[in-house]
Amino acid sequence: MLKTHRVLLLLSFFLLSACRSSEFNLDLEQQVEGATLLQFSKEGGFVLPPIPDSNPLTDGKAELGRHLFYDKRLSGNQTQSCESCHIQALAFTDGKALPQGSTGETLALNSQSLTNVAYNASYTWWNPILIRIEDQLFIPLTGDTPIELGINDGNLNTVLQRFRDDPSYQALFAAAFPNETDPYTLVNVAKALASFSRILISDRSAFDKGQLSDSAKRGQQLFFSESLECFHCHNGFNFSSSTVTINTRFPERVFFNNGLYNLNNNGSYPEAIQGKFKVTADWNDMGAFRPPTLRNIELTAPYMHDGSIATLEEVIDFYAAGGRNVTSGANQGDGRLNPYKSDFVNGFTLSAQEKTDLLNFLKSLTDYEFIADPRFANPFPAAEL
């Protein structure tokens, strides 16, 4: 049965690749009215992401969201913006193992890429309940354990007043919410940021354009082989098994334990990073995290949910070993023997050339147009930063 499931997954990927052009043509007929900033390449052939009825996508909201995303005035103490943890040149990650919030607190989890975030079936690394960007955004905006942007009941009116008093934002809010007499609310801020996030489409990589080197082609065969089993957790057009589109009727929200830790030899993970277990309290979910997209993976080091693996080469070594054996320190334990580890993380052997080929395939998912696209760039002159 498991073997049949694997074959069907592999077949679905190649069927998806074969019908990209037709899906793109369908998209041309389904463009969102008033949202020309949401664009797709013919090569990628993506279908539209889901867009909630409560927050229709418009250029006005996306453009307001872009400004808010880069504006430090959105944090309580005006020291950080969303960009502080999501830098365009790094595929909207920050290059750090763990980010720090606006008050200096260190977060427990690595900053995720916003590449194709509109297609995520769930949000954050581990929470199956958060299924809309709008809802997730209240965590960095208002969360207090730890503090990120640090908006709270005591400073909310002050934060909103900063934008209410700015003539540029008066025009932006009016364009985004034309039917509201007082659009300066935190709910609208979240709607605008979500709208900007939904246009962050990366579909112009060498892989999408069919420009793979011979080495990358060999790496592609390895990636989709049963011996490596990478594609089971990173499948479909977004290279993540937790992906939804406008056509998805029954979303699959999957989480995997990849053998990163095994504290006390009973499968435990460090308390702050226990994955889906933190929601369900089911030990079968201990250390289970959502597989991120592999698009732009070359740009998003360091890796894993806690940023504990520095390079892409080391990631391959980690999976080749079937997990990680931590031999010293507080997190000591052999993750390779974690009883809750996914059956897809079994280890494998690669020659030096095969490892290079696999790396070159992963690097073919880098979208250099995405990280330089002016639609996603900081709108403020350098002197204002």
Side-chain angles (χ1 to χ4, degrees):
M1 186 69 179
L2 181 58
K3 185 71 172 179
T4 301
H5 177 66
R6 291 174 176 175
V7 171
L8 288 174
L9 276 173
L10 188 56
L11 179 61
S12 67
F13 173 82
F14 287 113
L15 286 175
L16 176 65
S17 299
C19 64
R20 279 180 177 158
S21 295
S22 63
E23 287 180 347
F24 176 75
N25 291 335
L26 183 63
D27 284 347
L28 290 178
E29 300 170 5
Q30 294 183 351
Q31 285 297 316
V32 179
E33 183 178 356
T36 61
L37 290 172
L38 178 65
Q39 298 173 8
F40 302 92
S41 74
K42 187 170 184 178
E43 293 86 358
F46 289 12
V47 297
L48 288 171
I51 300 169
D53 293 338
S54 59
N55 188 23
L57 182 62
T58 66
D59 285 350
K61 274 188 276 191
E63 189 60 21
L64 170 60
R66 180 169 75 111
H67 282 72
L68 291 169
F69 184 90
Y70 286 99
D71 200 326
K72 292 180 180 179
R73 288 177 291 178
L74 188 58
S75 60
N77 60 11
Q78 303 190 74
T79 62
Q80 285 191 353
S81 66
C82 302
E83 186 207 15
S84 299
C85 296
H86 301 284
I87 301 165
Q88 184 181 10
L90 298 178
F92 293 97
T93 59
D94 64 358
K96 303 174 183 177
L98 298 175
Q100 285 189 325
S102 59
T103 60
E105 290 187 64
T106 299
L107 280 63
L109 296 168
N110 181 259
S111 292
Q112 294 191 50
S113 172
L114 299 185
T115 297
N116 296 338
V117 68
Y119 293 101
N120 286 1
S122 63
Y123 292 91
T124 76
W125 278 102
W126 50 267
N127 195 330
I129 298 172
L130 286 171
I131 60 175
R132 298 195 321 152
I133 303 175
E134 287 82 355
D135 298 327
Q136 184 278 329
L137 277 163
F138 280 93
I139 295 175
L141 287 171
T142 66
D144 57 7
T145 311
I147 293 173
E148 295 185 54
L149 292 180
I151 299 175
N152 55 47
D153 290 341
N155 63 28
L156 174 59
N157 290 334
T158 299
V159 171
L160 294 176
Q161 194 65 40
R162 295 168 188 163
F163 304 111
R164 186 181 283 112
D165 291 341
D166 187 317
S168 297
Y169 275 104
Q170 290 169 12
L172 287 165
F173 270 91
F177 303 101
N179 299 319
E180 298 187 24
T181 55
D182 184 15
Y184 303 94
T185 68
L186 193 59
V187 169
N188 282 349
V189 167
K191 286 182 175 181
L193 288 170
S195 297
F196 174 63
S197 298
R198 287 194 174 98
I199 71 170
L200 299 178
I201 303 299
S202 176
D203 61 355
R204 293 167 285 178
S205 67
F207 169 79
D208 297 305
K209 296 175 181 179
Q211 298 174 349
L212 300 187
S213 66
D214 289 341
S215 174
K217 289 177 182 177
R218 293 192 299 268
Q220 182 180 13
Q221 291 180 329
L222 287 167
F223 184 92
F224 290 102
S225 70
E226 291 292 347
S227 58
L228 269 65
E229 306 203 87
C230 310
F231 71 95
H232 291 295
C233 301
H234 299 281
N235 54 57
F237 71 92
N238 202 35
F239 291 88
S240 169
S241 50
S242 287
T243 300
V244 294
T245 73
I246 195 172
N247 299 324
T248 303
R249 293 187 178 183
F250 303 104
E252 186 177 12
R253 300 182 176 96
V254 295
F255 301 79
F256 296 101
N257 179 323
N258 64 357
L260 199 63
Y261 294 105
N262 185 13
L263 277 62
N264 306 315
N265 293 317
N266 67 358
S268 296
Y269 268 50
E271 184 177 0
I273 51 172
Q274 293 179 333
K276 189 182 176 185
F277 175 83
K278 292 177 71 69
V279 174
T280 66
D282 182 344
W283 273 85
N284 291 306
D285 294 327
M286 174 60 72
F289 290 86
R290 180 179 61 81
T293 179
L294 295 187
R295 286 182 172 273
N296 295 309
I297 191 70
E298 179 185 10
L299 305 174
T300 62
Y303 301 100
M304 302 297 160
H305 57 270
D306 61 351
S308 59
I309 298 183
T311 69
L312 203 49
E313 290 84 351
E314 291 175 52
V315 171
I316 293 176
D317 293 339
F318 164 80
Y319 282 110
R324 182 173 64 181
N325 184 17
V326 180
T327 58
S328 62
N331 296 330
Q332 190 170 341
D334 194 342
R336 299 170 299 180
L337 303 178
N338 191 302
Y340 307 108
K341 188 182 70 169
S342 169
D343 291 338
F344 297 129
V345 184
N346 294 311
F348 49 81
T349 301
L350 293 178
S351 68
Q353 183 60 58
E354 287 173 327
K355 183 177 180 180
T356 297
D357 293 341
L358 182 58
L359 281 167
N360 285 337
F361 171 65
L362 294 173
K363 291 177 181 180
S364 79
L365 303 179
T366 303
D367 183 346
Y368 294 102
E369 294 178 55
F370 174 73
I371 61 173
D373 195 316
R375 289 176 296 150
F376 316 144
N378 193 325
F380 300 108
E384 296 181 17
L385 300 180

